[in-house]
């Protein structure tokens, strides 16, 4: 069955509702994109549904929807494993303005998930199941009992558009009886983008994510998070081609047996491309899979 954006949204939230059981509240994610050390306790299972929209490039239309349906399980109190099913919907039309990509035309269609064989003068729309991911998080120190919580994250992904191997260093400190959470992730990833006409194209990424979340009322938290992004055209962080900064707010609500988080990141002007990647930049911002706005909604339900 072909996946449209309406079906993608409906599938995400119907699946989340179908898996809602009223049991005791477990771990929750107060940030949109930053991973914390609030893990599932030993023997506990949680379902989490994520829906992300990357929207607006240099011109025209660009909407990249991704949905991730996840089950998390606590193997021990300090080791959590998870599995994801990933799906996508891409809608692009005349979204590029850079002459390095468009030639003599003022605009053209391009970007991540748009194959180079596609006619750049026409719109591109496609959806489907992207692939699967596995995840493991090990907590070395707990921010509830230590001044700084430290953890390690590992995630391999096998997908239609790319394969990826990602690792993160997780850092977290809690203050004011755990009402204020400061967190940071250092993300390193090697990727192989899949193009039928050009074969697999290697890339790598280095990101620094930082954020704060404050519980200002019972069940409610709000804060801010930022992403300092670096892209490379070769594996193992060789030949940097992009640099960009994203900043935005987040909001979190948690009840006894479910939680929801929403966040928005805005790409600041001042991003740049180098090392042969100039076609991915215009209007002082970076493109490819990146956009002016990034939105995410996450819903979690403990299952036992």
């Amino acid at each position: 069955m072909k996946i449209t954006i309406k079906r993608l949204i409906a599938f995400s939230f119907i699946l989340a509702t179908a898996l809602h059981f009223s049991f005791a509240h477990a771990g929750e994610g107060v940030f949109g994109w930053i991973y914390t050390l609030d893990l599932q306790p030993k023997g506990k299972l949680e379902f989490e549904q994520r829906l992300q929209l990357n929207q607006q490039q240099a011109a025209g239309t660009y909407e990249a929807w991704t949905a991730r349906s996840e089950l998390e399980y606590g193997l021990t109190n300090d080791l959590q494993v998870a599995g994801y099913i990933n799906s996508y919907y891409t809608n692009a039309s005349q979204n590029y303005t850079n002459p390095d990509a468009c030639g003599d035309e003022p605009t053209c269609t391009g970007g991540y998930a748009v194959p180079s064989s596609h006619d750049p003068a026409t719109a591109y729309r496609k959806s489907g199941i992207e692939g699967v991911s596995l995840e493991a998080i090990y907590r070395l120190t707990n921010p509830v009992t230590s001044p700084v919580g430290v953890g390690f994250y590992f995630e391999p992904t096998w997908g239609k558009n790319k394969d990826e191997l990602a690792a993160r260093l997780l850092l977290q400190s809690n203050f004011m009886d755990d009402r204020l959470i400061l967190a940071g992730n250092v993300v390193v990833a090697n990727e192989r983008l899949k193009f039928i006409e050009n074969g697999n194209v290697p890339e790598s990424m280095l990101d620094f994510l930082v954020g704060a979340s404050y519980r200002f009322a019972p069940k409610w938290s709000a804060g801010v998070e930022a992403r300092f992004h670096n892209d490379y055209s070769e594996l193992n962080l060789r030949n940097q081609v992009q640099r960009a900064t994203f900043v935005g707010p987040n909001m979190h609500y948690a009840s006894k047996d479910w939680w929801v988080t929403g966040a928005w990141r805005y790409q600041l002007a001042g991003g740049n491309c180098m090392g042969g990647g100039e076609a991915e930049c215009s209007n002082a911002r970076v493109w490819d899979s990146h956009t002016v706005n990034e939105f995410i909604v996450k819903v979690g339900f403990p299952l036992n």
Side-chain angles (χ1 to χ4, degrees):
M1 180 181 68
K2 184 177 179 181
I3 299 177
T4 65
I5 184 55
K6 291 182 179 179
R7 287 175 176 169
L8 186 64
I9 295 173
F11 172 79
S12 297
F13 289 99
I14 290 173
L15 184 58
T17 303
L19 289 170
H20 179 194
F21 296 90
S22 295
F23 294 109
H25 177 65
E28 57 189 84
V30 298
F31 295 98
W33 290 273
I34 299 173
Y35 281 76
T36 67
L37 294 166
D38 186 11
L39 307 184
Q40 298 302 315
K42 181 179 179 179
K44 296 298 182 179
L45 183 68
E46 180 172 278
F47 172 77
E48 183 176 308
Q49 180 63 57
R50 306 182 191 186
L51 186 63
Q52 179 171 334
L53 169 63
N54 286 17
Q55 184 183 56
Q56 188 182 342
Q57 291 191 334
T61 299
Y62 185 83
E63 297 173 334
W65 292 84
T66 56
R68 305 192 77 189
S69 304
E70 175 193 18
L71 284 175
E72 300 176 347
Y73 180 74
L75 282 179
T76 72
N77 286 334
D78 293 311
L79 177 60
Q80 174 182 292
V81 295
Y84 298 82
I85 296 176
N86 308 312
S87 52
Y88 72 97
Y89 172 79
T90 301
N91 176 26
S93 178
Q94 304 303 301
N95 52 303
Y96 268 34
T97 61
N98 194 314
D100 289 335
C102 301
D104 295 331
E105 299 299 323
T107 63
C108 60
T109 300
Y112 177 71
V114 179
S116 58
S117 59
H118 178 74
D119 181 358
T122 63
Y124 178 84
R125 296 180 183 86
K126 193 168 185 179
S127 60
I129 301 298
E130 165 61 16
V132 297
S133 302
L134 300 176
E135 175 191 288
I137 301 176
Y138 176 70
R139 183 171 57 199
L140 186 63
T141 60
N142 193 325
V144 176
T145 57
S146 301
V148 179
V150 179
F152 301 98
Y153 165 108
F154 179 75
E155 180 184 330
T157 295
W158 300 271
K160 179 178 180 180
N161 291 307
K162 71 177 180 180
D163 295 335
E164 181 182 70
L165 184 61
R168 297 185 184 222
L169 171 66
L170 312 182
L171 302 171
Q172 179 181 338
S173 289
N174 294 1
F175 302 93
M176 304 171 64
D177 294 327
D178 299 328
R179 294 197 306 275
L180 174 64
I181 297 176
L182 304 182
N185 294 172
V186 181
V187 187
V188 179
N190 277 335
E191 305 172 343
R192 290 196 180 274
L193 305 183
K194 298 179 179 180
F195 299 97
I196 296 176
E197 50 286 353
N198 297 323
N200 292 341
V201 177
E203 286 189 353
S204 54
M205 177 188 73
L206 172 64
D207 273 10
F208 299 94
L209 309 181
V210 294
S213 178
Y214 179 70
R215 190 172 71 249
F216 62 89
K219 303 182 180 181
W220 288 95
S221 301
V224 63
E225 51 193 283
R227 178 192 189 190
F228 304 97
H229 173 65
N230 301 274
D231 254 345
Y232 302 80
S233 66
E234 300 178 32
L235 299 177
N236 303 318
L237 308 182
R238 295 195 301 267
N239 189 27
Q240 186 170 7
V241 293
Q242 286 187 356
R243 182 182 296 116
T245 301
F246 303 78
V247 179
N250 57 54
M251 181 73 71
H252 173 76
Y253 174 84
S255 70
K256 176 185 175 183
D257 46 38
W258 65 278
W259 59 265
V260 60
T261 299
W264 165 47
R265 291 192 306 205
Y266 177 80
Q267 184 181 168
L268 303 179
N272 59 81
C273 294
M274 69 291 285
E278 289 79 6
E280 301 295 347
C281 275
S282 60
N283 302 347
R285 291 186 171 91
V286 304
W287 307 126
D288 188 18
S289 62
H290 311 300
T291 52
V292 175
N293 298 295
E294 299 178 347
F295 305 94
I296 192 170
V297 176
K298 304 191 300 185
V299 182
F301 300 118
L303 301 181
N304 63 358

